[in-house]
Amino acid sequence: MWQRIQTLYLALIAILSIVMCFQTTAYMMAESTGAIYQFKFPGVVTASGDTYMGMFFLYLLLFIIAALAVLTIFMYKKRKLQIRLTILNILLMVGYYALLFWHVFVAKARLESEGIAVEWHLNIAFCFQLVNIVLAVMAIRAILKDEALVRSADRLRS
């Protein structure tokens, strides 16, 4: 199990997803006052530490992505299921980005309705899910190589 390269890829997906929970993914800066609104756990946090808007489902999705990656590691005997779970994980990662952008635009609209003009920026942690998607694709390719190797060995035995 641990000697396969896809295990490393899936473990990195789990680690990066957990790290993302504790990093600021994006932030918005008020143009007039310079106040900063950070997108980090548990939601949009102001400089004074007040939570402006909760984003519980976004962080729940990150934990589901990490848990699914760990679960997929232990499905090493069922390679087809491993591929399906990894594809599901990619879809969840894309869903994470959709949910994050939805939160950004809702928070921006909410602040602008209060008369606060803001512009939003992305941090380096934003790219972690992109790295996870690439790692997941690499894991699928490695699983497919293992499947081809097993099939060729089965042909030689019969």
Side-chain angles (χ1 to χ4, degrees), residues 3-156:
Q3 67 269 23
R4 295 188 170 98
I5 190 69
Q6 62 263 27
T7 303
L8 176 66
Y9 297 148
L10 293 168
L12 285 173
I13 290 170
I15 290 168
L16 282 176
S17 294
I18 296 298
V19 167
M20 279 190 71
C21 289
F22 304 106
Q23 298 293 319
T24 301
T25 308
Y27 66 93
M28 292 185 296
M29 185 179 296
E31 294 173 357
S32 59
T33 62
I36 296 176
Y37 300 89
Q38 296 180 341
F39 286 79
K40 62 181 186 179
F41 187 77
V44 180
V45 180
T46 63
S48 62
D50 300 329
T51 302
Y52 183 73
M53 184 177 96
M55 298 188 313
F56 175 74
F57 290 112
L58 192 66
Y59 294 101
L60 180 66
L61 190 58
L62 283 174
F63 281 117
I64 290 171
I65 289 169
L68 190 60
V70 170
L71 175 72
T72 306
I73 290 172
F74 294 105
M75 296 290 175
Y76 60 92
K77 289 185 180 182
K78 301 174 183 174
R79 286 172 293 280
K80 289 184 181 188
L81 179 62
Q82 209 175 24
I83 291 171
R84 288 185 187 123
L85 289 175
T86 307
I87 290 171
L88 174 65
N89 219 352
I90 290 172
L91 293 175
L92 289 174
M93 291 173 204
V94 171
Y96 168 82
Y97 276 125
L99 192 58
L100 177 66
F101 282 121
W102 180 78
H103 278 294
V104 166
F105 290 117
V106 166
K108 184 175 180 182
R110 193 178 287 178
L111 285 169
E112 287 178 349
S113 71
E114 294 176 7
I116 304 171
V118 293
E119 58 182 45
W120 60 281
H121 305 277
L122 301 173
N123 283 352
I124 191 71
F126 176 81
C127 297
F128 288 178
Q129 282 300 340
L130 289 175
V131 171
N132 280 348
I133 291 171
V134 171
L135 287 171
V137 169
M138 291 170 59
I140 289 172
R141 291 183 66 201
I143 295 166
L144 288 171
K145 282 182 185 178
D146 275 358
E147 182 67 24
L149 182 66
V150 167
R151 284 186 184 178
S152 69
D154 286 345
R155 264 195 309 258
L156 290 175

